[in-house]
């Protein structure tokens, strides 16, 4: 091992870091063959200074690429250092990092060299080598290369735990503008193939218990936000379509990080839309775990999420008729919709109220954010909000009582004159 | 007021619980030997762990708690918090008298036990990630940790299943014991920890490629970071500074 590997790792980890996904859960690979490793609940092994977890060794096989997508750091026209790992180098790094408990597995992506199949074949070969020769049972996340053949996708699915294709730009219009060489159909086809494969595999497993798993941790995708002028409504609708049509496990939203002087894109040095990204994730969670429909959170007349309050609170303020909710009677579905009550607190409330009527003190102890919830619930107490407050007033009260972590960094001072 | 003093072991605690029932003690406190300070008006009984008595309490707990609830009880014991015995004793009484008591989160004791268990589980989950093995010359993957709670019993199964084909040892510096896997089974080991090895001698202890992989990992940690998204507060929330000195990638920035 030499300095050269260190250098390659530097280049190819740096080029891979714009992929957000680092999940290592959802698969249940057992270590039955006296081999190395297993998968289960995701484990985060470290956190970088931007607070993101490191769970997988996330690298590109190479950052040589024949495409010239404006938003991508590895685009053909970009003057950067290029490098490529050999198959053995990736395998060696993965195994040795894994044995030292640095990682949960491998996240392997690649720039596209020569053509899609040629690239995909290399990725599959690495996964195969790990699984068969090294009896590696850790997590493997492979990127499906848009345009790869069905045979290769099938083989990839047998070795990988998760496959993903990045949609990158949420609207077709934006894609045409920023990546004219890429075709949406090429992205959709492998996704569709994997979806069908998973459905078929589940059916077969019911009949033959020993059927090998096919992409056990499912598929995910990623969208760049803030690069092509799309609204939150476009993004969320696109995401919900993906969840619905391809049974995706996750859609990741990645605030665009300026990497190009291209005038079609935000200039280098402009801020990453972190707050917007955060609100989109909140909305995503509401649709997946809290029973909200995208249409309830966003619609063409209000196409963007509120910046200063979270989407659930914003929904509650728009729908005063749904409140107050009685904590001691309402069903889970309604309790979940109260601002300040999360999934865990809601379940605890349901469990605890079988034994006694709950009051404010209980709610506080169970972990409910009472400063927000108090305007929307009643409980076993005579003290509750009686004033007939308008949505605007409630918003003001809540905002004055809390300090947003995003606003803290840029306080706007009133001028005196 | 009666104090039951025990040695801090799991069996000892269960035996103490048994004794409170056996002797029909009302005003009673259970204390670890290490924390016990005799009071003027206090009576004290030293309780020896007894397998039969402990077994009966264990059986009762298993019958009246769900598997998850029972694990929570055990995790609360592993927290080693000063009031842990008091909570668990009250909790046991509740569990034996009220059906499905583990869900009564409106009750302070139940809530306290479930919250403490959550804290312990959170740390045991963290430790599954924050253990860093280094390969020694005698072919053992060695790691040192210093968790707030005694989580080694909770993570040994995880490491045993995951690393079946390598010998490993995880040493808890705070509690001065470790768990060692010899390719067959995990055993508890006790030894005086090696004092901090100066960098120039590490070559004698660790295998040849070890330092290179550590260097690669450090490089990876830096390269995978995105400068324009810096959010140190979030990083610290997930990875508090007290863990940093045992992590290869952050060791250099760790507070002493």
């Amino acid at each position: 091992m030499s300095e050269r590997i260190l250098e390659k790792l530097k280049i190819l980890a740096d080029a891979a870091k714009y992929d957000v996904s680092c999940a290592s859960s959802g698969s249940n690979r057992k270590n039955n063959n006296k081999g190395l490793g297993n998968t289960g609940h995701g484990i985060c092994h470290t956190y970088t200074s931007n607070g993101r977890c490191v769970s997988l060794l996330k690298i590109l096989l190479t950052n040589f690429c024949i495409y010239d997508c404006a938003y991508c750091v590895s685009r053909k026209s970009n003057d950067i250092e290029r490098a490529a790992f050999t198959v053995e180098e990736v395998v060696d790094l993965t195994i040795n990092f894994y044995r030292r408990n640095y990682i949960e597995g491998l996240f392997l992506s690649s720039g596209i060299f020569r053509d899609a199949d040629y690239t995909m074949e290399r990725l599959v070969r690495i996964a195969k080598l790990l699984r068969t020769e090294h009896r590696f049972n850790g997590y493997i996340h492979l990127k499906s290369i848009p345009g790869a053949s069905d045979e290769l996708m099938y083989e990839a699915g047998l070795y990988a735990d998760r496959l993903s294709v990045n949609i990158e730009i949420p609207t077709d219009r934006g894609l045409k503008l920023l990546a004219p060489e890429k075709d949406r159909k090429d992205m959709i086809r492998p996704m569709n193939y994997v979806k069908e494969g998973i459905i078929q595999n589940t059916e077969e497993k019911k009949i033959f218990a020993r059927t090998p798993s096919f992409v056990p941790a499912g598929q995910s995708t990623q969208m760049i936000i803030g690069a092509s002028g799309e609204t939150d409504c476009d993004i969320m609708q696109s995401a919900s379509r993906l969840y619905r049509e391809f049974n995706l496990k996750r859609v990741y939203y990645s605030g665009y990080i300026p990497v190009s002087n291209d005038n079609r894109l935000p200039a280098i040095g402009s801020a990453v839309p972190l707050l917007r990204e955060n609100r989109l994730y909140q909305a995503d969670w509401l649709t997946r775990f809290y029973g909200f429909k995208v249409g309830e959170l966003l619609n063409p007349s209000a196409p963007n999420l509120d910046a200063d309050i979270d989407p659930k609170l914003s929904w509650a303020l728009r729908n005063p008729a749904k409140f107050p909710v009685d904590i001691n009677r309402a069903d889970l579905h309604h309790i979940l919709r109260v601002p300040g009550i999360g999934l865990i607190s809601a379940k605890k409330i349901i469990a605890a109220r079988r034994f006694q009527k709950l009051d404010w003190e209980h709610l506080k102890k169970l972990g409910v954010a009472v400063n927000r919830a108090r305007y929307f619930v009643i409980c076993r107490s005579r003290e509750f909000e009686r004033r007939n407050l308008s949505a605007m007033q409630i918003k003001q009260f809540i905002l004055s009582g809390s300090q947003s972590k995003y606003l803290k960094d840029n306080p706007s001072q009133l001028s005196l004159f | 007021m009666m104090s039951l003093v025990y040695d801090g072991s799991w069996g000892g605690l269960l035996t103490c619980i048994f004794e409170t029932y056996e002797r029909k003690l009302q005003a009673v406190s259970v204390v670890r030997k290490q924390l016990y300070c005799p009071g003027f008006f206090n009576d004290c009984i030293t309780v020896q762990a007894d397998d039969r008595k402990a077994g009966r309490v264990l059986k009762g707990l298993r019958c009246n708690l769900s598997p998850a609830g029972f694990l929570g009880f055990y995790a609360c014991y592993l927290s080693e918090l000063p009031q842990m015995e008091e909570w668990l004793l009250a909790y046991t009484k509740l569990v034996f008298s009220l059906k499905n008591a583990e869900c009564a989160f409106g009750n302070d004791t139940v809530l306290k036990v479930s919250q403490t268990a959550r804290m312990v589980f959170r740390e045991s989950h963290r430790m599954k990630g924050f253990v860093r093995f280094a390969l020694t010359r005698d072919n053992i993957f060695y790691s040192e940790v210093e968790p707030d709670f005694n989580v080694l019993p909770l993570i040994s199964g995880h490491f045993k299943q995951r690393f079946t084909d390598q010998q490993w040892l995880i040493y808890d510096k705070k509690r001065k014991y470790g768990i060692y896997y010899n390719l067959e089974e995990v055993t508890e080991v006790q030894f005086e920890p090696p004092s901090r090895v100066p960098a120039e001698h590490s070559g004698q202890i660790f295998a040849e490629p070890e330092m290179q992989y550590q260097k690669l990992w450090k490089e990876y940690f830096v390269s995978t970071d995105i400068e324009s998204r810096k959010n140190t507060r979030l990083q610290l929330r997930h990875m508090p500074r007290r863990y940093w000195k045992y992590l290869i990638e952050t060791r250099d920035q760790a507070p002493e």
Side-chain angles (χ1 to χ4, degrees):
Chain A
M1 200 175 46
S2 62
E3 288 300 307
R4 182 61 194 144
I5 296 202
L6 197 69
E7 209 173 306
K8 282 188 193 175
L9 184 65
K10 194 175 182 166
I11 297 168
L12 294 170
D14 186 85
K17 69 187 177 186
Y18 300 99
D19 245 305
V20 183
S21 167
C22 208
S24 57
S25 59
S27 182
N28 192 12
R29 217 173 268 279
K30 294 267 184 310
N31 188 357
N32 290 334
N33 51 358
K34 266 269 174 187
L36 173 66
N38 57 6
T39 65
H41 301 292
I43 295 171
C44 300
H45 286 266
T46 190
Y47 293 84
T48 58
S49 76
N50 48 49
R52 295 202 304 177
C53 105
V54 177
S55 176
L56 305 171
L57 171 64
K58 195 187 294 177
I59 46 176
L60 296 191
L61 182 57
T62 175
N63 61 345
F64 287 104
C65 192
I66 56 173
Y67 285 106
D68 203 26
C69 311
Y71 51 80
C72 178
V73 74
S74 304
R75 65 188 178 279
K76 189 170 59 179
S77 61
N78 201 13
D79 182 23
I80 49 163
E81 240 185 303
R82 307 275 168 174
F85 276 124
T86 64
V87 172
E88 288 72 28
E89 283 166 349
V90 176
V91 170
D92 180 73
L93 271 179
T94 310
I95 296 285
N96 277 291
F97 277 9
Y98 196 90
R99 285 199 183 280
R100 286 167 177 75
N101 203 38
Y102 299 165
I103 51 169
E104 284 294 289
L106 176 66
F107 178 116
L108 189 62
S109 176
S110 181
I112 297 166
F113 48 104
R114 210 174 301 177
D115 60 53
D117 272 354
Y118 190 83
T119 313
M120 193 70 209
E121 197 261 328
R122 290 283 135 68
L123 300 186
V124 172
R125 199 193 297 170
I126 290 175
K128 184 177 179 180
L129 206 61
L130 280 168
R131 289 278 189 243
T132 51
E133 281 204 8
H134 295 270
R135 286 187 296 177
F136 178 70
N137 303 309
Y139 196 89
I140 299 181
H141 180 154
L142 291 186
K143 274 263 112 93
S144 323
I145 305 296
S149 69
D150 288 354
E151 293 76 42
L152 279 170
M153 290 306 297
Y154 175 73
E155 221 188 336
L158 290 182
Y159 301 121
D161 293 283
R162 169 168 288 186
L163 291 170
S164 64
V165 188
N166 284 358
I167 288 293
E168 303 294 14
I169 306 294
T171 58
D172 288 346
R173 192 177 46 78
L175 189 72
K176 209 158 264 161
L177 179 73
L178 297 174
E181 303 154 304
K182 276 196 180 161
D183 192 349
R184 181 73 85 202
K185 271 190 238 122
D186 284 344
M187 300 176 179
I188 297 296
R189 211 179 57 133
M191 256 194 210
N192 217 4
Y193 179 79
V194 172
K195 180 194 115 185
E196 299 295 335
I198 293 173
I199 294 174
Q200 197 186 337
N201 186 247
T202 331
E203 289 301 315
E204 281 168 13
K205 274 201 159 160
K206 281 180 200 156
I207 309 169
F208 308 107
R210 283 181 169 279
T211 312
S213 293
F214 184 80
V215 201
Q219 318 190 64
S220 63
T221 192
Q222 168 174 322
M223 287 194 264
I224 299 177
I225 57 169
S228 63
E230 69 294 316
T231 63
D232 289 350
C233 192
D234 292 336
I235 296 171
M236 287 310 297
Q237 243 142 28
S238 173
S240 93
R241 199 165 51 239
L242 288 166
Y243 280 126
R244 210 173 44 237
E245 287 172 18
F246 302 106
N247 305 335
L248 291 193
K249 292 280 189 216
R250 282 292 296 276
V251 174
Y252 292 92
Y253 310 94
S254 163
Y256 175 67
I257 297 158
V259 289
S260 163
N261 279 322
D262 198 311
N263 56 13
R264 289 171 289 178
L265 287 164
I268 284 185
S270 49
V272 182
L274 292 179
L275 174 57
R276 187 173 176 207
E277 190 184 294
N278 179 250
R279 293 284 179 245
L280 283 168
Y281 275 116
Q282 287 175 323
D284 183 87
W285 247 250
L286 289 179
T287 54
R288 289 194 300 143
F289 303 114
Y290 290 78
F292 281 89
K293 295 260 175 343
V294 174
E296 291 178 287
L297 303 170
L298 290 158
N299 52 58
S301 62
N304 286 308
L305 295 165
D306 265 332
D308 48 359
I309 51 173
D310 65 87
K312 199 202 232 179
L313 178 57
S314 163
W315 172 83
L317 293 177
R318 272 181 277 125
N319 294 280
K322 307 253 196 252
F323 298 102
V325 166
D326 187 345
I327 285 296
N328 290 305
R329 286 167 195 277
D331 58 16
L332 183 65
H333 171 74
H334 287 104
I335 291 181
L336 279 175
R337 289 184 165 236
V338 177
I341 300 184
L343 213 53
I344 294 177
S345 327
K347 284 188 179 150
K348 276 197 171 152
I349 288 170
I350 302 277
R353 71 185 186 188
R354 294 208 188 98
F355 297 88
Q356 66 201 109
K357 292 254 186 271
L358 304 177
D359 58 29
W360 292 117
E361 204 51 41
H362 290 130
L363 291 184
K364 212 173 276 176
K365 280 188 187 161
L366 286 177
V368 171
V370 175
N371 68 327
R372 261 175 295 161
R374 54 185 284 219
Y375 302 99
F376 304 99
V377 297
I378 46 175
C379 56
R380 199 204 69 180
S381 165
R382 271 186 281 178
E383 295 167 34
F384 55 87
E385 195 55 62
R386 284 167 217 273
R387 288 170 295 177
N388 199 0
L389 295 173
S390 71
M392 203 56 200
Q393 282 170 313
I394 294 178
K395 184 171 162 179
Q396 290 306 334
F397 282 134
I398 291 176
L399 282 178
S400 66
S402 64
Q403 179 66 264
S404 164
K405 54 182 177 263
Y406 293 102
L407 294 177
K408 208 174 249 172
D409 298 335
N410 42 0
S412 55
Q413 194 169 356
L414 291 173
S415 72
L416 209 52
F417 302 103
Chain B
M1 186 76 167
M2 175 73 81
S3 292
L4 298 180
V5 182
Y6 77 112
D7 58 354
S9 68
W10 171 236
L13 175 68
L14 295 176
T15 312
C16 285
I17 293 174
F18 185 88
E19 294 295 342
T20 59
Y21 278 88
E22 175 89 343
R23 296 170 192 242
K24 297 196 166 54
L25 300 172
Q26 288 304 322
V28 63
S29 69
V30 177
V31 244
R32 267 157 279 172
K33 206 163 52 193
Q34 302 89 318
L35 297 182
Y36 178 65
C37 53
F40 194 72
F41 301 103
N42 267 7
D43 278 336
C44 131
I45 305 173
T46 307
V47 176
Q48 296 295 332
D50 179 316
D51 280 351
R52 190 187 57 83
K53 293 175 180 171
R56 272 184 62 188
V57 177
L58 207 59
K59 195 173 155 218
L61 285 171
R62 281 191 198 275
C63 285
N64 290 287
L65 286 168
S66 69
F70 179 74
L71 198 61
F73 185 97
Y74 181 54
C76 186
Y77 157 73
L78 292 177
S79 76
E80 299 177 339
L81 293 174
Q83 286 173 288
M84 169 269 289
E85 290 90 350
E86 186 190 318
W87 298 331
L88 287 182
L89 190 59
Y91 187 65
T92 312
K93 286 190 176 143
L94 213 61
V95 166
F96 285 155
S97 58
L98 179 69
K99 201 161 186 272
N100 205 13
E102 60 181 283
C103 291
F105 297 109
N107 181 297
D108 279 347
T109 307
V110 176
L111 192 65
K112 202 72 219 175
V113 169
S114 99
Q115 282 169 345
T116 310
R118 250 185 108 184
M119 274 157 57
V120 175
F121 288 137
R122 182 171 56 210
E123 183 160 56
S124 83
H125 186 73
R126 270 179 178 155
M127 275 303 137
K128 288 176 190 171
F130 294 167
V131 161
R132 292 282 177 276
F133 288 123
L135 182 58
T136 60
R137 280 194 178 272
D138 34 10
N139 230 359
I140 295 174
F141 284 85
Y142 177 69
S143 168
E144 281 177 359
V145 292
E146 200 176 328
D148 297 342
F149 308 122
N150 183 18
V151 296
L152 290 195
L154 292 176
I155 63 175
S156 80
H158 165 81
F159 282 100
K160 187 183 170 200
Q161 277 159 24
R162 175 162 289 200
F163 300 109
T164 46
D165 63 345
Q166 68 189 43
Q167 297 180 70
W168 51 259
L169 201 169
I170 304 170
Y171 187 79
D172 184 338
K173 280 188 99 167
K174 204 173 186 175
R175 294 167 189 83
K176 303 218 182 315
Y177 82 101
I179 45 176
Y180 168 60
Y181 174 71
N182 61 1
L183 299 177
E184 297 281 321
E185 57 183 1
V186 182
T187 44
E188 213 171 272
V189 287
Q190 279 180 347
F191 61 93
E192 216 23 62
S195 51
R196 202 130 197 215
V197 186
E200 60 268 26
H201 295 312
S202 57
Q204 293 161 14
I205 295 171
F206 296 113
E208 176 67 36
E210 179 56 36
M211 292 304 141
Q212 286 173 347
Y213 284 113
Q214 292 196 7
K215 204 168 154 195
L216 282 166
W217 175 244
K218 272 190 192 158
E219 180 57 54
Y220 176 71
F221 181 70
V222 174
S223 301
T224 199
D225 204 2
I226 298 174
E227 190 54 37
S228 52
R229 296 182 59 109
K230 203 169 178 65
N231 189 349
T232 324
R233 238 174 59 147
L234 184 61
Q235 180 191 25
L236 286 178
R237 196 166 77 203
H238 290 305
M239 191 166 73
R241 279 206 201 272
R242 61 180 181 277
Y243 298 116
W244 283 28
K245 62 179 160 178
Y246 296 104
L247 301 173
I248 290 152
E249 63 275 19
T250 49
R251 202 155 49 192
D252 305 336
Q253 311 159 44
E256 242 333 294

